[in-house]
Amino acid sequence: MSEQDTKTSAIWGGRFSEGPSAIMEEINASIGFDARLFAVDIQASIAHAKMLGAKGIISDADANSIIEGLGKVEAEIVSGNFKFSRALEDIHMNVEHRLSEIIGVAAGRLHTARSRNDQVATDLKLWVRDALDGIDGAIMGLQKVLIELAAEHAETVLPGFTHLQSAQPISLGHYLLAYVEMLGRDRSRAADCRARLNECPLGSAALAGTSFPIDREMTAAELGFDGPTANSLDSVSDRDFVMEYLSVLSITAVHLSRMAEEIVIWTSEPFGFMRLSDDFSTGSSIMPQKRNPDAAELIRGKSGRIFGALIGMLSVMKGLPLAYGKDMQEDKEPVFDATDTIELSLAAMTGMFAGATFNNKRMKDVAAKGFTTATDLADWLVKELNLPFRDAHHATGSLVKIAEEKGVGLEDLSIDDMQSINPDINKSVFDVLGLENSTKSRTSFGGTAPENVLEQCKAAKKKYL
Ligand code: ARG
């Protein structure tokens, strides 16, 4: 190396006589985080080299030596023997530089007909695609645990809430299957995102395409994409897939946070519906009796990081002119952090539910309070006495008032109490006031009747697992 070469950047220093300042290097370098792209970067480079060889743009001998050398670079990184250099900025240059040390001048031919702009877009798409597949599997694992629990608890009665006020008795299984549906939509959104991102930017080069006779169909197919992207400018400046990915993760994070909140409430002393296993509970350093649901609280808290990643990325992109801008290097940390966060959150949620136990008696006792079968009573008045629902609602309200004044449940009222509001009421009304009868009666499609729940478990298994 000449004196000048050591001072200026080895990557792009040809036209410079001074190297970057330490601050410049620090703000510019992404290797501190984008090293995580190494496997997809090498995968994409191998596809590119194969294509360059096949099209005669480089010799077969060079292509083969590049491909073999890239395998060695990957092995070094995997084994932890690779020395990453900040002066080489990013993963792309670190890999290429090491390749040149291993195979010599042929390494310099790998970058023919491509740029880091299409390279990084391709790498990140490959990475996000893998991440989506992993997340899909993790969500499925959580659905499986929930479906198994739901089948066990089809008959278990739980007070259903609206406004967190006791509303109607429901099946705990039905409740758990509600989450299964939410998570099913999350997986479907992930699948949409995956399908939409699956076009290959490689070969768009810096922004304008290339004059080399490349075969973009070939590299796209080699990397498992449906085909090449249509517009080179769009290809290097598109981070829609990142924004969409983070949106998908954000909605999943909302769902996990809601589930987490439910766990926090349900495991609290006043509720006492649910108990987490020892391995998913934490103690207090001062209060020996405590069993804290820290994992649930952290899932609830960490959702904020995922939303932050989305907002951050939207903000990075919103003012960028075409085509590539270095701002876009800021895409990786939110993607990695949100991915790690959602994966950990999903694992913790799955672990919590897998080991959780429910206090059936407590849930039933609470469900029995709060006049939760009042709607059943109103429905009975409609069905048996042919009252318009509004009138039935009013009459039931009066009965609730009497029960409240007497400090008893609706089922404890006497037939005289009942007839004081409507003389046609007869004793068969008491049949619908029991909790089990109430849940059993809700057989409408999607309703909470235990027989439905068992059917829904079967359907969910078939659809999701
Ligand atoms: N490290 C860069 C990024 O993540 C790679 C692309 C750099 N391109 C460039 N023209 N400087 O976006």
Side-chain angles (χ1 to χ4, degrees):
M1 269 193 177
S2 71
E3 164 75 345
Q4 181 174 326
D5 281 338
T6 56
K7 272 209 282 178
T8 61
S9 166
I11 313 162
W12 38 255
R15 75 187 297 280
F16 292 82
S17 43
E18 284 297 324
S21 82
I23 301 286
M24 182 61 223
E25 192 180 288
E26 187 178 346
I27 196 170
N28 204 28
S30 54
I31 190 62
F33 46 88
D34 72 9
R36 283 182 76 166
L37 294 175
F38 80 88
V40 285
D41 188 70
I42 288 171
Q43 188 191 352
S45 285
I46 288 175
H48 186 64
K50 270 190 195 166
M51 183 278 292
L52 292 176
K55 298 298 290 178
I57 299 168
I58 63 175
S59 70
D60 283 339
D62 282 347
N64 290 336
S65 126
I66 288 170
I67 292 163
E68 212 184 287
L70 285 169
K72 287 183 187 154
V73 175
E74 180 162 23
E76 283 182 12
I77 298 177
V78 169
S79 66
N81 290 326
F82 190 95
K83 231 182 126 292
F84 291 102
S85 148
R86 196 173 78 170
L88 290 165
E89 286 185 26
D90 55 24
I91 185 62
H92 323 296
M93 295 315 307
N94 270 272
V95 168
E96 191 183 314
H97 183 261
R98 181 69 190 125
L99 181 68
S100 73
E101 288 176 348
I102 298 174
I103 70 166
V105 283
R109 299 192 188 278
L110 171 60
H111 214 52
T112 314
R114 77 170 185 189
S115 144
R116 276 188 292 163
N117 297 350
D118 57 336
Q119 191 180 356
V120 72
T122 306
D123 289 3
L124 196 56
K125 277 194 169 184
L126 289 171
W127 199 92
V128 168
R129 197 175 69 183
D130 285 349
L132 281 167
D133 291 344
I135 290 163
D136 181 71
I139 299 179
M140 184 175 80
L142 176 54
Q143 284 180 309
K144 185 165 185 280
V145 167
L146 293 171
I147 294 170
E148 278 162 10
L149 270 178
E152 264 172 55
H153 286 286
E155 309 257 353
T156 307
V157 174
L158 164 86
F161 302 105
T162 58
H163 314 269
L164 201 56
Q165 306 283 324
S166 293
Q168 291 175 350
I170 54 171
S171 144
L172 175 59
H174 192 56
Y175 201 96
L176 297 167
L177 288 181
Y179 294 138
V180 170
E181 288 304 304
M182 284 188 207
L183 295 166
R185 289 193 296 277
D186 291 334
R187 289 177 66 192
S188 139
R189 262 183 292 274
D192 287 348
C193 175
R194 190 192 197 285
R196 206 165 1 260
L197 72 69
N198 209 30
E199 288 182 343
C200 186
L202 192 59
S204 299
L207 76 166
T210 175
S211 58
F212 290 100
I214 59 172
D215 183 348
R216 293 192 58 207
E217 296 282 350
M218 181 181 166
T219 40
E222 182 77 24
L223 295 170
F225 287 105
D226 298 332
T229 49
N231 181 298
S232 61
L233 288 175
D234 176 52
S235 306
V236 294
S237 72
D238 167 31
R239 291 295 182 274
D240 289 7
F241 67 98
V242 173
M243 294 183 278
E244 189 173 353
Y245 174 65
L246 295 174
S247 310
V248 168
L249 263 48
S250 291
I251 298 176
T252 302
V254 169
H255 291 157
L256 294 181
S257 184
R258 292 181 68 181
M259 293 170 77
E261 168 69 3
E262 211 102 66
I263 291 175
V264 171
I265 294 173
W266 285 16
T267 56
S268 71
E269 192 61 42
F271 265 75
F273 289 1
M274 186 181 187
R275 187 181 164 93
L276 295 174
S277 55
D278 280 1
D279 58 345
F280 274 96
S281 300
T282 47
S284 155
S285 56
I286 175 166
M287 297 164 285
Q289 86 283 11
K290 288 297 278 294
R291 291 175 70 83
N292 291 331
D294 286 30
E297 293 166 274
L298 285 162
I299 290 170
R300 194 175 57 185
K302 281 175 189 290
S303 64
R305 294 171 75 128
I306 298 175
F307 312 154
L310 171 62
I311 298 295
M313 200 53 212
L314 294 170
S315 313
V316 165
M317 295 307 294
K318 80 175 199 34
L320 293 190
L322 290 177
Y324 176 84
K326 196 65 175 254
D327 318 45
M328 284 154 68
Q329 181 165 282
E330 291 295 311
D331 57 4
K332 289 164 205 69
E333 286 168 292
V335 164
F336 296 149
D337 188 67
T339 304
D340 294 342
T341 305
I342 205 83
E343 281 175 354
L344 184 57
S345 299
L346 282 164
M349 188 59 81
T350 307
M352 276 191 290
F353 271 104
T357 49
F358 293 89
N359 186 337
N360 296 3
K361 182 175 178 313
R362 173 78 187 145
M363 290 185 288
K364 197 172 168 184
D365 287 350
V366 176
K369 291 192 191 114
F371 314 107
T372 56
T373 53
T375 316
D376 298 271
L377 174 52
D379 288 350
W380 185 90
L381 293 170
V382 170
K383 283 188 215 157
E384 301 299 322
L385 306 186
N386 201 23
L387 257 54
F389 183 77
R390 281 292 156 225
D391 296 349
H393 183 282
H394 192 82
T396 306
S398 308
L399 287 167
V400 167
K401 194 159 173 258
I402 296 176
E404 202 170 28
E405 275 159 14
K406 294 194 164 183
V408 298
L410 279 173
E411 65 285 3
D412 304 317
L413 290 178
S414 67
I415 188 71
D416 291 342
D417 291 329
M418 293 278 188
Q419 288 172 347
S420 73
I421 297 301
N422 186 314
D424 296 334
I425 297 180
N426 59 56
K427 278 189 171 162
S428 75
V429 71
F430 291 104
D431 292 345
V432 300
L433 298 180
L435 297 174
E436 269 95 1
N437 286 344
S438 168
T439 55
K440 263 193 205 127
S441 72
R442 296 207 149 70
T443 51
S444 58
F445 184 79
T448 198
E451 54 173 302
N452 277 22
V453 173
L454 290 174
E455 277 307 307
Q456 287 157 1
C457 283
K458 269 193 224 150
K461 255 189 205 157
K462 215 167 134 199
K463 184 168 176 194
Y464 298 122
L465 305 185

